[in-house]
Amino acid sequence: MAPASFWNSSKTVCVMDASGHLGSALVHRLLRRGYTVHAAVYSHDEVQRYKRQSTEKEDLRVFHSDPLDYHSILDALKGCCALFYSFELPSDHPTYDEFIGELEVRAAHNVLEACAQTDTIDKVIFTSSATAVVWKEHDEGHASDVDERNWSDVNFCKKFKLWHGLSKTVAEKTAWALAMDREVNMVSINAGLLMYPNLSIKDPYLLGAAEMFKDGVLVTVDLEFLIDAHICVFEDVTSYGRYLCFNGIINCNDDVVKLAKMLLPSSSSQDMFNDDSVHQQRISNGKLRKLMVDFESGLQVTSKD
C-alpha cells in the first residue's frame, strides 16, 4: 500500500478513454478518492454527457481526445501526474481485425509519445489483456504455466487469426518499447475477460475461448476488482512491470454453464465448449495479489493536521 504521504487531494490524473465500462468507472472512483480527473473521451456524445456531470463537479474536466490526434492527447494530459489508458473499439467497428490492430498500435504509440512530452506525468497505467500473455504453441498435452513474464506469440496469433490477442500483444509491446526509450514510468494491467451486464458471446476476448479453457488459462475479472488493481498499481510506488489481473478462472463444467447462461441467456445449451472435464489452472496472478494485500479500496480520508 502506498505510504500516507503519497496522498494529495490536489493531484490531477487523466483517464482515457473515459467512456468505456472501465474508463467511466475509474473516473467516478478516482473522484471519490479525492483526485481531480481529466476525462478524455473519443465520442462527441460522450463529451456532452460528461460535460453535464462536470457542471456539478469542480474536480472533473472533460476533453475530446482522438488517440490518433497527438495534439488532442497533449491537451488532455496537461497538468496531470498520471494517465490511465485503455483502448476502446470505435462504435462503427465493434470487433477486432487487422485494421483495428493497426489502429490500436498507432494509438498506443501516440499516447506514450505524448506522455513522454508531458513534464508532469509521473506514471502511466496501461490497460492490456491476458490475451497478450496466453497465446503460444506448446507440445500436445504439455501446456506450460504462464504469468506476466510471458508474451503471446505474434506469429501464432496471426496463424489462427486471434485478432484480439494479436492487437493487444503488439500494442503493449509498442508501448513498452517507447516507454523504455523515452524513460516513461509505465505499469501494465493484463486483464482477464471483463464481466459486465450484457456481456456478449461476440466479445472479441472470447475468440479462442474453448482453447483457453482447455489450456486452463480462461480467466475473468469483475469490474470492481479491475478498478482496485488499477488504483493500487498507481498509488503504490513499488509497482513495476506487468500485472496479470483476474479474480475468476473458468476451468470446469459448472463454470462453463454459468458463463454460457450469461452469454446466451435465451439458449438452453449447457455445454458451451462441450467439455465436462476439469482442467488444471495454468495461469497465476500472484504478483498482483501480493501487491494488493494491504490495499484499501474505500474512500481515502486525508489528515486535517
Side-chain angles (χ1 to χ4, degrees), residues 134 138 141-147 150 212 214-219 244 246 249 251 279-284:
V134 301
H138 55 75
H142 295 284
S144 57
D145 292 349
V146 297
D147 60 20
N150 295 93
M212 284 190 277
K214 292 173 183 177
D215 287 343
V217 296
L218 181 54
V219 290
L244 262 170
F246 59 90
I249 176 80
N251 62 347
H279 298 277
Q280 179 183 347
Q281 179 176 339
R282 299 186 183 279
I283 187 168
S284 170

Side-chain angles (χ1 to χ4, degrees), residues 4 50 59 117 144 181 186 194 207 224 245-246 274 287 293:
Y50 265 111
D59 48 1
Q117 300 302 323
S144 57
D181 183 64
M186 188 177 105
L194 179 59
L207 184 63
E224 289 301 310
C245 180
F246 59 90
N274 194 29
K287 182 183 176 186
V293 165

Side-chain angles (χ1 to χ4, degrees), residues 72-204:
S72 72
I73 300 170
L74 285 174
D75 288 342
L77 294 177
K78 195 171 296 181
C80 293
C81 70
L83 169 67
F84 294 84
Y85 172 74
S86 59
F87 178 84
E88 296 291 335
L89 287 170
S91 58
D92 60 347
H93 204 120
T95 189
Y96 272 83
D97 55 23
E98 290 179 280
F99 168 75
I100 288 297
E102 293 173 1
L103 195 71
E104 184 164 4
V105 171
R106 287 166 56 199
H109 183 279
N110 285 346
V111 166
L112 264 295
E113 185 62 54
C115 288
Q117 300 302 323
T118 304
D119 293 338
T120 55
I121 292 289
D122 293 325
K123 202 170 198 177
V124 176
I125 299 85
F126 186 96
T127 307
S128 185
S129 173
T131 61
V133 172
V134 301
W135 290 119
K136 59 181 178 179
E137 198 83 57
H138 55 75
D139 296 333
E140 188 69 29
H142 295 284
S144 57
D145 292 349
V146 297
D147 60 20
E148 56 280 322
R149 292 171 293 184
N150 295 93
W151 285 93
S152 289
D153 185 312
V154 170
N155 291 326
F156 182 88
C157 291
K158 288 179 179 177
K159 178 180 178 181
F160 293 101
K161 294 182 170 53
L162 299 165
W163 303 123
H164 187 269
L166 178 63
S167 296
K168 295 300 179 183
T169 302
V170 179
E172 189 189 345
K173 283 192 170 185
T174 298
W176 275 116
L178 200 56
M180 290 186 284
D181 183 64
R182 301 289 194 272
E183 298 184 343
V184 175
N185 179 20
M186 188 177 105
V187 179
S188 70
I189 299 285
N190 292 78
L193 173 66
L194 179 59
M195 306 298 282
Y196 59 90
N198 302 319
L199 178 67
S200 166
I201 189 68
K202 295 181 180 179
D203 190 292

